[in-house]
Amino acid sequence: MSFRTFRMWQAFMGMIIGGVMGASLGMGNWIIPIFTIIIGISIMMVLRRRVKEIVADERNYAIAAKAARLTLQIVTIGMAVVGAILLAVSHGDSAVLTQIGFGLEYATCALLVINYITYYYYNRKMGGRP
Amino acid sequence: MGKTRINNRIRRLRFDHDEMTQEELAGRVGCTRQTIIALEQGKYVPSIELAFKIARAFGVTLEEVFQYEE
């Protein structure tokens, strides 16, 4: 299978999954979307293995790593700043703003902790000292 | 990513080897055509493994493909 054909199947499956999920959630059914996603991902994994072309190599992975690192920096700094602003603006009076502010701050902490753990893991794996 | 200090002769070597296409070279070394293009433009520095594969595809030594500017 060519990569182009795979992308067509990917778009088609995306439309099917989106349609089924939208219809199911509209009817208040949350079980069908879960199975739909699982089945859709399984089908895409099988199709992906049939693609004979090399679609991603070391350069693609290097680009993805740089993009992920920059995204993490932007998102964590942005969330921390916005969260701090919301907390400062709410003065504890607005429950909604306070909740959102704390939510953003805790999410920032969670991202940084996960990043620390994954960095530690790969550092050890690649010969770094703990 | 700007120009690197590592030059290469991949394009010249391709032409010298029966005008090998970028697609053919990519298939031989196990990377994408876009990576070969980036290499020839000096916008990407390959890993040692890929560099060795490229040299082996041309049947030459690593230094005959890649040169490091002091």
Side-chain angles (χ1 to χ4, degrees), chain A residues 54-60 62 66, chain B residues 30-32 35 38 44 46-47 50:
Chain A
I54 298 171
V55 295
D57 57 8
E58 59 174 52
R59 180 177 151 273
N60 297 109
K66 282 182 176 280
Chain B
C31 69
T32 62
T35 297
Y44 176 68
S47 65
L50 181 58

